[in-house]
Amino acid sequence: MHKEKEQKLDTSRVDQAVDTFYEGYNCAQSVFATYADCFGMDREMAFRMSSAMGAGVGRMREICGAVSSMAMLAGLKEGNTDPLDEDAKERIYARVRELSERFRKENGSIICKELLGITEVEESAKPQPRTKEYYESRPCPHLIACAARIIEEELL
């Protein structure tokens, strides 16, 4: 994606990212697809690309999907394309660390299972049904909103 395709936002999309989660998309999809068009990617491709990152990457409860989406969006904006450009690699890695650290400071962790308070290993890859109780028990809307705000303040 080229910088000339990059767009500035007229209005915040934080609520749109959260609403996308309530439509049934995972945390990563909700964040990534909300902003991918700013870097020349269509919404369907964004949903597909980010789908595996949800629930802490493939429901393994590791890095929060919202954090993964911040990293992917940073890559679309500032990522390196020359495998020999060590400075460019260092810049994007540093950028992702900055974004992730901001998220960590605001939420206490970037790890899905820690954010959700999960202490036991979840063996199944099957997502839980999206019910009213599911949404009420999750901090995910808050985490999605946090990631969206960071994206708007730091990347757009």
Side-chain angles (χ1 to χ4, degrees), residues 26 28-30 32-33 45-54 69 72:
N26 71 41
Q29 290 173 303
S30 299
F32 190 74
M45 179 63 71
F47 280 133
R48 287 175 188 256
M49 185 173 168
S50 58
S51 64
M53 305 309 285
S69 288
M72 291 189 299

Side-chain angles (χ1 to χ4, degrees), residues 12-30:
S12 174
R13 295 185 185 179
V14 172
D15 290 340
Q16 179 184 339
V18 173
D19 289 346
T20 302
F21 180 71
Y22 284 120
E23 290 173 17
Y25 292 99
N26 71 41
C27 49
Q29 290 173 303
S30 299

Side-chain angles (χ1 to χ4, degrees), residues 80-100:
N80 66 299
T81 57
D82 180 351
L84 302 178
D85 188 345
E86 296 298 324
D87 291 336
K89 288 179 188 180
E90 181 180 7
R91 277 192 304 275
I92 191 59
Y93 294 160
R95 187 68 159 133
V96 170
R97 287 175 171 216
E98 291 167 7
L99 298 170
S100 298

Side-chain angles (χ1 to χ4, degrees), residues 10-122:
D10 294 330
T11 59
S12 174
R13 295 185 185 179
V14 172
D15 290 340
Q16 179 184 339
V18 173
D19 289 346
T20 302
F21 180 71
Y22 284 120
E23 290 173 17
Y25 292 99
N26 71 41
C27 49
Q29 290 173 303
S30 299
V31 173
F32 190 74
T34 297
Y35 298 100
D37 68 303
C38 297
F39 306 101
M41 182 179 286
D42 71 72
R43 194 163 171 84
E44 182 178 344
M45 179 63 71
F47 280 133
R48 287 175 188 256
M49 185 173 168
S50 58
S51 64
M53 305 309 285
V57 184
R59 201 167 186 267
M60 292 186 291
R61 305 298 185 194
E62 297 297 334
I63 300 289
C64 171
V67 174
S68 294
S69 288
M70 288 192 308
M72 291 189 299
L73 290 164
L76 286 176
K77 181 177 182 181
E78 303 169 9
N80 66 299
T81 57
D82 180 351
L84 302 178
D85 188 345
E86 296 298 324
D87 291 336
K89 288 179 188 180
E90 181 180 7
R91 277 192 304 275
I92 191 59
Y93 294 160
R95 187 68 159 133
V96 170
R97 287 175 171 216
E98 291 167 7
L99 298 170
S100 298
E101 187 55 29
R102 182 166 168 198
F103 186 94
R104 182 189 331 268
K105 283 181 180 174
E106 292 186 33
N107 299 291
S109 181
I110 63 168
I111 304 299
C112 177
K113 63 185 162 202
E114 293 172 6
L115 293 164
L116 295 179
I118 295 172
T119 56
E120 296 184 20
V121 176
E122 294 179 322

